[in-house]
Amino acid sequence: MKMVLVFDTDDREGCKSSLKIMKQLAKDYNFEGLGRYDDPRFGKIEFIKMLKDFDAYCQLPDTERNPEDAAHAAGFIRLRTLKAFADHVWDEKKNNSYYKPKWLKR
């Protein structure tokens, strides 16, 4: 089977549809390992900004911690809180193609 997909950069919705079709075809024909379209990639400076933002996020007063952890006086951050931050980072990269700090104090 041969197929031609048009990727018109002036048509944003059409581009999304073309990518969706290509991802489905890659899945159907077992070509998924050839490229990772959903994995975010970070530049060094962007990654440093993300880590600084994570530090600010961790210091928020409502950050959930495990009080049982004796290794750290305040307790380590709960997995649920870490997941919430990771989801935020992935969503920012997916929607904006760059990470924009949210909690970082400027």
Side-chain angles (χ1 to χ4, degrees):
M1 176 174 109
K2 292 185 181 186
M3 180 184 293
V4 176
L5 289 174
V6 176
F7 195 82
D8 182 2
T9 56
D10 292 333
D11 178 15
R12 190 168 180 87
E13 291 303 313
C15 289
K16 288 180 184 179
S17 296
S18 292
L19 284 173
K20 188 175 179 181
I21 292 168
M22 286 302 297
K23 286 180 185 180
Q24 186 61 48
L25 287 171
K27 184 177 180 181
D28 291 348
Y29 289 94
N30 208 16
F31 290 121
E32 288 183 278
L34 295 178
R36 296 285 180 210
Y37 302 107
D38 294 333
D39 292 344
R41 301 194 191 294
F42 289 89
K44 188 183 257 183
I45 299 299
E46 183 182 21
F47 185 68
I48 290 169
K49 287 180 180 179
M50 188 267 306
L51 290 174
K52 287 177 71 177
D53 197 35
F54 178 67
D55 181 48
Y57 176 76
C58 290
Q59 295 175 27
L60 292 173
D62 59 339
T63 300
E64 289 186 53
R65 297 183 180 276
N66 273 336
E68 306 88 37
D69 291 329
H72 192 271
F76 288 117
I77 295 171
R78 289 186 183 265
L79 186 60
R80 169 185 2 200
T81 304
L82 293 170
K83 183 187 177 309
F85 184 82
D87 288 344
H88 169 73
V89 170
W90 253 245
D91 289 344
E92 281 290 310
K93 287 293 286 186
K94 184 178 176 182
N95 296 332
N96 301 322
S97 76
Y98 65 93
Y99 180 75
K100 181 180 175 187
K102 180 177 177 181
W103 295 277
L104 186 61
K105 297 172 182 141
R106 291 176 179 89

